[in-house]
């Protein structure tokens, strides 16, 4: 089976983890600090705070911004559930806008109509490794005095007009095992704001600056140095792996775009291809079955949009009936095929051949 994702763990990762193991210092320490400095520098931001996972990193970002009870955050439903659960767990209300068909991301044209006196933030998701259309979002945020919070869980190193993810406002990156940069479980909160960073760090460690003196209510969202050591080793090869993803995506697009609905990259955006997501209207299950038979792994990101999830209805009454036509349609059509850097040329040829064998060419 050609898997949909495959972690690339080599001797450098093994050596880095072994060194921490042998040091006997497993809790958050020097490796975490080094990884945080390296990530902040990579993203071109002032602060990176590593945490146990991306979800809690985003909760800490909202806490750092003081977003909570009575506030609204404008976001999308076409994402992983954590995009929205963090808003709810902060006590705030998610307000959904639809996505655009060309980039699967927040449609800036719909944001202004969703703003109310309670709106505090706009949270775009850079889905699949492609940044949202940030220029109009920045313009709206500036005019309405709102903060942009980036869900960059899938967008390590992605850029918009030369500015990397993380440079548009406080952001979160996931380091989950399948991500372009991974530590098994882990996440980063990033920000240029010293005060926000300070509140995030305090929140991460029991509200404690001096050991056993707790100046604010916090919790334990700390990572361990084993994960940080793994991440540091991964980071040295992130750009190389991203380039391989780009070459793989370019091959798939060159081979398939004439006859199938392949992903597009709008002008000015550097895609990092966390996922290569095609659309198979009306025949997705047939395509999944056919590709599985031929040994090609696939995954639906995501089969049920967040506004239709069962639990959400109690928090946002009537959410399932919201008018989000593009989100609803694409949720029924999208399918990720493998694009990760461990694919061989043979794998890529098998993927292309298999898609051609099972999927119906679209009429143009
Ligand atoms: C878009 C998006 N947001 C949030 C998250 C949450 O990150 P984590 O799994 O590290 O908690 C993920 C990760 O799967 C994600 O893909």
């Amino acid at each position: 089976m050609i898997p949909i994702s495959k972690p690339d763990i080599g001797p450098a990762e093994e050596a880095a983890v072994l060194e921490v193991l042998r040091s006997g210092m497993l809790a958050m320490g020097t490796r975490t600090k080094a990884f945080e400095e390296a990530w902040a520098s990579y993203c071109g931001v002032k602060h990176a705070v590593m945490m146990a996972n991306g979800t809690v990193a985003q909760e800490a970002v909202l806490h750092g911004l003081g977003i909570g009870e009575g506030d609204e955050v404008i976001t999308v439903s076409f994402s992983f559930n954590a995009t929205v659960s963090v808003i709810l767990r902060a006590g705030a209300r998610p307000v959904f806008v639809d996505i655009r068909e060309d980039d699967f991301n927040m449609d800036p044209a719909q944001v202004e109509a969703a703003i109310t006196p309670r709106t505090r933030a706009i949270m775009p998701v850079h889905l699949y490794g492609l940044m949202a259309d940030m220029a109009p979002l920045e313009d709206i945020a500036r005019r309405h005095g709102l903060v942009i919070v980036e869900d960059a869980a899938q967008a390590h190193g992605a850029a918009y007009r030369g500015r990397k993810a993380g440079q548009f406002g406080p952001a979160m990156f996931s380091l989950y095992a399948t991500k372009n940069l991974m530590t098994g479980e882990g996440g980063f909160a990033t920000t240029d704001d010293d005060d926000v960073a300070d509140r995030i760090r305090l929140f991460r460690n029991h509200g404690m600056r001096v050991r056993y003196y707790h100046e604010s209510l916090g919790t334990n969202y700390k990572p361990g140095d084993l994960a940080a050591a793994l991440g540091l080793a991964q980071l040295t090869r992130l750009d190389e792996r991203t380039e391989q993803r780009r070459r793989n995506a370019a091959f798939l697009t060159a081979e398939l775009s004439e006859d199938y609905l392949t992903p597009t990259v709008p002008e000015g955006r550097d895609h990092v291809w966390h996922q290569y997501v095609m659309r198979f209207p009306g025949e997705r299950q047939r395509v999944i079955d056919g590709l599985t038979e031929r040994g090609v792994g696939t995954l639906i990101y995501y089969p049920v949009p967040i506004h239709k999830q069962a639990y959400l209805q109690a928090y946002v009454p009537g959410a399932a009936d919201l008018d989000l036509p593009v989100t609803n349609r694409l949720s029924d059509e999208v399918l990720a095929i493998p694009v990760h850097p461990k694919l061989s040329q043979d794998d890529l040829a098998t993927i292309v051949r298999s898609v051609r064998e099972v999927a119906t060419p679209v009429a143009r």
Side-chain angles (χ1 to χ4, degrees):
M1 192 67 153
I2 302 170
I4 188 72
S5 67
K6 189 168 182 182
D8 189 359
I9 299 168
E13 280 84 354
E14 288 176 13
V17 169
L18 200 58
E19 196 183 318
V20 176
L21 270 181
R22 287 184 175 150
S23 78
M25 312 278 272
L26 304 189
M28 188 175 81
T30 60
R31 298 299 76 201
T32 302
K33 188 161 185 299
F35 191 29
E36 289 182 339
E37 284 169 5
W39 187 244
S41 152
Y42 183 87
C43 294
V45 298
K46 216 163 158 190
H47 304 278
V49 185
M50 190 186 173
M51 300 208 196
N53 58 66
T55 304
V56 297
Q58 193 73 315
E59 282 190 31
V61 166
L62 296 182
H63 172 85
L65 290 166
I67 292 175
E69 206 73 46
D71 295 331
E72 291 179 357
V73 178
I74 297 172
T75 191
V76 289
S77 169
F78 196 72
S79 182
F80 178 60
N81 171 64
T83 300
V84 169
S85 68
V86 298
I87 299 170
L88 291 169
R89 281 179 44 79
R93 202 179 110 83
V95 174
F96 296 104
V97 294
D98 212 349
I99 53 167
R100 243 167 49 184
E101 192 156 340
D102 66 334
D103 64 1
F104 303 110
N105 283 327
M106 179 178 278
D107 182 354
Q110 305 206 2
V111 171
E112 216 142 6
I115 295 174
T116 75
R118 291 171 180 269
T119 309
R120 288 283 314 279
I122 303 172
M123 193 195 290
V125 181
H126 308 317
L127 202 67
Y128 308 142
L130 176 66
M131 290 196 57
D133 193 0
M134 298 307 287
L137 292 179
E138 274 198 315
D139 178 52
I140 295 166
R142 201 177 306 114
R143 282 191 285 107
H144 292 270
L146 304 173
V147 61
I148 288 179
V149 177
E150 297 175 68
D151 182 332
Q154 305 185 0
H156 312 78
Y160 179 92
R161 298 185 186 167
R163 286 164 66 197
K164 275 186 177 159
Q167 294 188 11
F168 294 81
M172 173 275 282
F173 296 84
S174 169
L175 300 168
Y176 180 65
T178 58
K179 295 295 193 284
N180 291 23
L181 177 69
M182 71 90 193
T183 62
E185 290 280 4
F188 274 119
T190 59
T191 178
D192 278 327
D193 186 316
D194 296 346
D195 293 335
V196 172
D198 188 53
R199 281 196 291 274
I200 291 172
R201 287 185 194 282
L202 276 177
F203 191 57
R204 173 179 72 168
N205 191 20
H206 306 285
M208 183 166 75
R209 209 181 298 276
V210 179
R211 185 173 282 193
Y212 305 136
Y213 289 81
H214 304 273
E215 63 181 66
S216 57
L217 177 64
T219 181
N220 180 3
Y221 282 169
K222 298 192 300 298
D225 257 15
L226 279 174
L230 175 55
L232 259 177
Q234 286 265 305
L235 183 53
T236 60
R237 290 186 54 213
L238 176 61
D239 284 343
E240 182 192 318
R241 288 174 175 133
T242 299
E243 281 313 314
Q244 188 58 50
R245 285 176 185 273
R246 288 187 175 133
R247 281 193 292 276
N248 293 349
F251 179 84
L252 294 170
T253 297
E255 295 291 320
L256 295 170
S257 62
E258 221 159 275
D259 296 321
Y260 302 97
L261 299 176
T262 50
T264 54
V265 184
E267 188 73 25
R269 293 188 231 182
D270 298 326
H271 204 317
V272 294
W273 298 105
H274 173 56
Q275 298 297 342
Y276 188 92
V277 175
M278 296 183 64
R279 290 164 49 200
F280 297 102
E283 59 171 4
R284 180 169 64 184
Q285 192 52 52
R286 215 173 54 71
V287 173
I288 294 172
D289 295 342
L291 292 182
T292 308
E293 262 170 42
R294 289 162 178 76
V296 176
T298 60
L299 210 57
I300 302 172
Y301 297 91
Y302 297 89
V304 180
I306 303 171
H307 73 285
K308 291 197 170 170
Q309 295 289 347
Y311 86 95
L312 192 84
Q313 309 312 309
Y315 293 92
V316 185
D321 301 322
L322 285 171
D323 187 27
L324 302 170
V326 184
T327 296
N328 288 337
R329 183 160 46 80
L330 295 195
S331 299
D332 288 336
E333 298 179 353
V334 291
L335 186 67
I337 61 173
V339 73
H340 59 78
K342 298 288 274 183
L343 294 175
S344 66
Q345 204 53 44
D346 269 1
D347 293 335
L348 286 162
T350 302
I351 295 165
V352 167
R353 188 177 1 97
S354 303
V355 170
R356 289 198 165 282
E357 281 172 10
V358 302
T360 315
V362 290
R364 301 268 181 193

